[in-house]
Amino acid sequence: MTDIAAYREAARAWLSGKVEEFGREARRGLSPAEDLALARRYMAAKYDAGYSGISWPKEHGGQGLGPIEKLTFESEEILHGFGTEYFSISLGMPVPIMLRYLPDGWKQERARAALRGEEIWCQLFSEPAAGSDLAGLRTRAVQDGEGGDWTLNGQKLWTSWAHLSDYGVIIARSDPTVAKHRGLTYFWVDMRAPGVTVRPVRLAAGGAHVNEVYFDDVRIPDSQRLGPVGGGFGVAMETLIIERYSATNPAAGGPSIAKAVADASAITRRGRPLIEDGRVRERIARSFAMQTALAAIHRQALLSLEAGVQPGPEGAIHKLVSMRSRQRLSEFMIDLHGAEGIRTTNGANTKEDWVASWISAPTGRIAGGADEMLLNTIAERILGLPQDHRPDKGVPFNQIPA
Amino acid sequence: MASGVPYVSVLIDEGQLQISEEAHRLLGAQYSGEKLKELLEAKGEFDRDLWKLMAEQGWTALSYPENYGGLGLGLMEQGLIAEACGSFAIGVPALTSSFLVGQALLKFGSEEQKDQWIPRLAAGDAVGCVAFGESAEAVPDRPACAYDGSALNGTKPAVTAGGIADVAIVLAQAAEGPVLVLVDLSASGIARETIDSFDNSRCVAGLTFSGAQAEVLPLSSQAPDAARQLLRLHALMVAFEQVGGARKMLTAARDYAITRKAFGQPIGAFQSVKHRIAEDYVAVELARANAIHATTRAAEPDFGRFAAAARISATEAYDMVSRDAVQTHGGIGVTWEADLHLHQRRARSLAIEAGGLMFWEDELIDELREDAR
């Protein structure tokens, strides 16, 4: 058995011992507060077992292993529906970036608390007028002279888990007189500081894990700055690529092909199971072919990592293809149920329920890189096609028409 | 498969990479769009010079055991050669069709049958073809072509390489049920009618047997299943060919979009063009991943679904990318002179010759349905 196979076996054994207490079934019917509390206990257990911060350096409270071990663990963990979603952004981006930039001491305490699920960090990037075009953001950071404190004013939007967060990382405009990418500076903030207001935004699918966050004269010391003044965009890009390789699911969090086959076999129309209808066969077969390919690509990426080679554009391909495929298949599977397809199930999981999968799928095609941006990335970075015409290129931010 | 998809795949190793690069180099040096277009207009002709060269390179012998004059390499190597051939839309239908006859003999043939034919197939001295399908059925449950224990009667209407082959494996109906039979096409009682087609170098012909001597492949007693096993291998090799062609068309579209200017900028700067090419890239990558993955499952009981997945995604990709590449080129793309139509044609001829999309979607769903039972 290879080291990785042994690692996987051990992880699988540990995880299977936690399913009853913390897994999908254990979470069913819990209130939001109870669910979060259970999820925090799972994180603490995971920390004690040595499966937290797998690829982080030991001096940051991690295990000092590589991305391959991390992906191996996650690909097993993802199967059981543990409540890791509250912590995935926190541990994926804000905490690692803060660990890179802050001096020793306080940051290690925060990292430990974050790994144990006791504290949560959020990432305050997007704004009402700055989504895909992040560098167009308008939240202002004004400094009281060189080396002095900063004052933040503005609004962030779509901030996941901000309502549960203790801390956040934020990018703001420190100089509106230079080109948009150059006038940004990056900080960490205490989400309980005076002037910070968090308001949950209810999404079309009903859930409210994203928020709008207002900053009204929020004072922060210069020691909370990460990276140089005016260097915030670079730190933001660095933040976004930390988690380039995370465990993926070819069904993009939607129901499996096996469920599609089972449902289409159980429903009859004109006296025969729908799985015998060519239109149904085509849809499911194409989805299967797509998912098999994504799984194979993911496996290749893992092998590349194992061989010390940085994988290429797998992430962009995966996100682009899997989410919209989930959306289409879910629409179609609702059709198969006829008029009854309208039924919703309270608390249904996107992996088990076509309606829950369908209603939340649009979020997945927008958040974390919209389809159109992914296509640009593939076209420009991989295929070498020219960049779009950008009229705001090089123009001082305060001269760009709003 | 209870849930999800098994995670098994391979990276191409150094030796395989070398085979692939060498094949591309060699075929690139031989490529002539003019020659391919002459073949388009000549019914029943194929690129004999290239076939000879392929045999000299050992490509015809790749997958056979050494005692039959083969090189004993695997499906992956065979696939990579097919991929390279696909990228040049070669005028040789025999590489895949002969490979399949060899596989039929290895799996289901007698020792004498193997001894008689495999060394000749491996050396490229004989061309093989497979004749399973009848009209819209890729594997008919009850073939109209009849076998009485020694002679074959009936017609296989469209056999790839049927116009040039020396030997055929035919799915025929015997008294006890369907069987696979081996036919020496130089025997009497065989009429070939090469079909005028949109891709003439495939040498697709109708084969009519009137009392032609044929012998059964003794291990093919479950003939429809045996034919399906062979078709899976066939589909996988064709998938590699399709991926190669699709990748070539993707490159052509990308290159043209960078150099061609309109409205003061390269057309590739317009999102309607660049996004289409990005989508094409994704389709090619998915198809290639499936083809490579399927080679690793050939010995497994679930090979059928992965061969089907490879075939489905490769057919989608080649059709889509060749269609889009022509569109990206605008007017020049639809001319006889630009070689794009070679791929536009090949995308369709490959799409229908080893069982079409409907066949493979059915194969796949039938297998997934079995899982659920």
Side-chain angles (χ1 to χ4, degrees):
Chain A
M1 202 188 281
T2 65
D3 290 353
I4 287 299
Y7 186 85
R8 184 183 290 275
E9 277 309 305
R12 200 176 275 170
W14 183 79
L15 286 163
S16 65
K18 298 294 157 194
V19 172
E20 196 185 339
E21 190 178 355
F22 301 114
R24 197 172 288 121
E25 291 307 317
R27 297 176 64 189
R28 222 178 274 284
L30 296 185
S31 72
E34 289 167 341
D35 191 53
L36 175 61
L38 186 76
R40 289 191 199 268
R41 288 204 298 280
Y42 169 71
M43 294 302 283
K46 185 166 136 179
Y47 182 88
D48 293 338
Y51 287 118
S52 295
I54 292 171
S55 59
W56 293 10
K58 285 192 169 162
E59 59 269 28
H60 292 164
Q63 306 298 326
L65 300 171
I68 186 76
E69 283 85 359
K70 168 182 175 284
L71 284 172
T72 300
F73 181 82
E74 286 178 352
S75 67
E76 294 295 329
E77 185 185 42
I78 203 174
L79 304 173
H80 304 295
F82 298 118
T84 52
E85 64 266 31
Y86 303 111
F87 315 99
S88 58
I89 289 176
S90 174
L91 298 174
M93 291 163 291
V95 175
I97 198 77
M98 145 317 252
L99 284 167
R100 286 189 193 182
Y101 281 90
L102 293 181
D104 282 346
W106 182 82
K107 73 176 183 187
Q108 276 92 349
E109 289 171 36
R110 298 283 72 69
R112 182 173 184 278
L115 287 170
R116 295 182 60 86
E118 294 157 4
E119 293 175 356
I120 295 174
W121 287 61
C122 62
Q123 175 173 288
L124 299 142
F125 281 13
S126 293
E127 296 185 3
S132 294
D133 182 12
L134 175 63
L137 61 87
R138 294 174 177 275
T139 294
R140 286 283 278 125
V142 178
Q143 191 173 24
D144 304 344
E146 206 178 309
D149 290 354
W150 295 78
T151 306
L152 284 177
N153 274 291
Q155 182 193 357
K156 294 289 175 179
L157 189 58
W158 317 129
T159 314
S160 296
W161 312 117
H163 59 302
L164 306 177
S165 289
D166 302 278
Y167 302 97
V169 291
I170 185 167
I171 178 167
R173 186 160 307 280
S174 48
D175 185 355
T177 68
V178 295
K180 64 179 183 176
H181 293 86
R182 299 184 192 284
L184 305 173
T185 301
Y186 200 107
F187 308 91
W188 70 264
V189 290
D190 184 338
M191 292 299 284
R192 299 198 181 84
V196 179
T197 310
V198 178
R199 290 190 193 141
V201 175
R202 192 171 178 206
L203 296 181
H209 75 281
V210 299
N211 302 273
E212 49 186 358
V213 183
Y214 291 88
F215 292 85
D216 296 306
D217 291 328
V218 176
R219 300 282 293 172
I220 52 176
D222 194 44
S223 60
Q224 290 185 208
R225 173 165 51 83
L226 309 183
V229 174
F233 193 75
V235 183
M237 291 300 105
E238 189 187 341
T239 309
L240 294 176
I241 62 170
I242 289 175
E243 272 263 303
R244 251 178 102 185
Y245 309 114
S246 45
T248 59
N249 161 242
S256 66
I257 295 292
K259 178 166 170 60
V261 172
D263 287 2
S265 302
I267 305 168
T268 57
R269 181 172 173 274
R270 295 187 166 190
R272 57 185 190 135
L274 274 168
I275 192 71
E276 291 174 11
D277 186 303
R279 291 162 293 191
V280 176
R281 298 185 146 229
E282 177 184 333
R283 290 293 195 110
I284 297 178
R286 303 277 175 115
S287 295
F288 177 88
M290 185 278 299
Q291 292 193 16
T292 315
L294 288 178
I297 287 175
H298 183 63
R299 177 72 192 148
Q300 283 184 330
L302 284 187
L303 290 171
S304 298
L305 274 175
E306 219 169 326
V309 180
Q310 285 296 302
E314 291 84 357
I317 294 177
H318 177 91
K319 183 166 187 300
L320 176 70
V321 175
S322 65
M323 279 310 303
R324 69 183 180 198
S325 170
R326 163 182 150 186
Q327 186 176 35
R328 287 178 197 163
L329 185 64
S330 300
E331 282 169 6
F332 184 69
M333 292 305 295
I334 291 172
D335 272 20
L336 294 201
H337 288 76
E340 272 184 76
I342 200 165
R343 186 192 302 277
T344 55
T345 310
N346 207 8
N349 185 298
T350 60
K351 286 188 182 180
E352 298 164 342
D353 184 89
W354 297 108
V355 170
S357 167
W358 159 75
I359 194 86
S360 60
T363 312
R365 291 185 56 193
I366 295 164
D371 285 7
E372 293 78 5
M373 299 304 289
L374 297 172
L375 287 168
N376 277 350
T377 300
I378 291 167
E380 293 168 17
R381 305 254 177 87
I382 302 168
L383 297 172
L385 287 163
Q387 209 180 47
D388 287 335
H389 174 54
R390 294 187 175 177
D392 61 0
K393 206 166 191 172
V395 178
F397 181 75
N398 57 9
Q399 291 171 33
I400 299 170
Chain B
M1 194 172 49
S3 69
V5 181
Y7 279 29
V8 185
S9 189
V10 286
L11 286 179
I12 297 178
D13 69 28
E14 282 296 313
Q16 290 165 341
L17 194 64
Q18 221 173 345
I19 287 177
S20 173
E21 284 173 356
E22 177 60 13
H24 275 96
R25 193 195 59 74
L26 192 88
L27 290 165
Q30 298 295 315
Y31 178 84
S32 159
E34 292 316 304
K35 186 164 191 178
L36 286 172
K37 282 177 279 193
E38 279 170 28
L39 291 173
L40 277 185
E41 296 188 297
K43 189 164 91 170
E45 289 297 321
F46 72 107
D47 190 342
R48 290 173 194 276
D49 298 337
L50 184 58
W51 176 241
K52 223 173 119 187
L53 190 73
M54 291 165 100
E56 284 165 15
Q57 292 298 314
W59 295 355
T60 49
L62 279 181
S63 61
Y64 303 118
E66 289 167 21
N67 56 324
Y68 294 112
L71 301 176
L73 292 172
L75 273 183
M76 182 71 180
E77 285 81 2
Q78 190 83 37
L80 292 171
I81 296 287
E83 183 185 25
C85 290
S87 76
F88 294 99
I90 61 162
V92 178
L95 193 67
T96 323
S97 68
S98 284
F99 161 77
L100 211 59
V101 171
Q103 294 301 314
L105 291 168
L106 283 175
K107 283 178 192 293
F108 309 115
S110 68
E111 286 310 313
E112 294 89 61
Q113 289 166 341
K114 289 189 236 183
D115 287 341
Q116 187 188 352
W117 286 104
I118 293 180
R120 291 182 62 195
L121 291 166
D125 293 339
V127 168
C129 67
V130 289
F132 298 161
E134 293 174 2
S135 68
E137 299 283 1
V139 181
D141 288 334
R142 198 181 161 78
C145 214
Y147 180 63
D148 67 6
S150 65
L152 198 57
N153 283 287
T155 297
K156 292 289 179 180
V159 180
T160 300
I164 56 169
D166 303 292
V167 57
I169 304 289
V170 179
L171 178 65
Q173 184 69 25
E176 68 273 21
V179 290
L180 289 182
V181 298
L182 176 74
V183 191
D184 182 337
L185 294 175
S186 65
S188 59
I190 297 166
R192 311 188 199 211
E193 192 197 345
T194 301
I195 295 172
D196 266 322
S197 75
F198 59 74
D199 194 4
N200 271 330
S201 70
R202 303 312 288 168
C203 300
V204 176
L207 300 183
T208 299
F209 306 100
S210 314
Q213 287 303 301
E215 45 185 88
V216 74
L217 298 187
L219 303 181
S220 67
S221 58
Q222 300 293 319
D225 279 353
R228 278 190 160 73
Q229 282 186 47
L230 293 168
L231 263 191
R232 286 172 193 149
L233 288 173
H234 191 186
L236 179 53
M237 286 306 118
V238 174
F240 272 104
E241 242 181 298
Q242 292 171 306
V243 167
R247 187 177 283 270
K248 176 57 68 78
M249 285 296 88
L250 171 70
T251 309
R254 192 273 312 261
D255 292 351
Y256 192 76
I258 288 172
T259 48
R260 169 76 181 187
K261 291 200 171 73
F263 304 101
Q265 62 177 5
I267 60 169
F270 294 106
Q271 287 194 342
S272 59
V273 174
K274 76 196 278 191
H275 285 186
R276 190 167 61 212
I277 297 174
E279 296 276 10
D280 289 342
Y281 167 81
V282 170
V284 174
E285 286 300 300
L286 294 177
R288 188 165 200 260
N290 266 337
I292 291 174
H293 179 242
T295 64
T296 69
R297 306 298 300 180
E300 308 295 330
D302 57 8
F303 178 50
R305 72 191 61 182
F306 295 112
R311 172 69 168 153
I312 290 167
S313 53
T315 298
E316 276 188 298
Y318 199 11
D319 270 337
M320 166 178 167
V321 180
S322 54
R323 181 201 305 141
D324 289 348
V326 171
Q327 183 69 21
T328 298
H329 280 72
I332 196 71
V334 299
T335 61
W336 182 261
E337 185 190 349
D339 291 348
L340 300 176
H341 63 101
L342 294 168
H343 284 280
Q344 191 189 345
R345 291 162 188 271
R346 186 59 52 83
R348 286 275 85 214
S349 60
L350 293 184
I352 56 180
E353 74 179 35
L357 280 174
M358 282 191 277
F359 174 81
W360 288 108
E361 285 162 2
D362 280 339
E363 291 289 298
L364 174 52
I365 296 297
D366 288 345
E367 204 176 309
L368 295 181
R369 223 182 149 188
E370 278 304 308
D371 288 358
R373 286 186 178 165

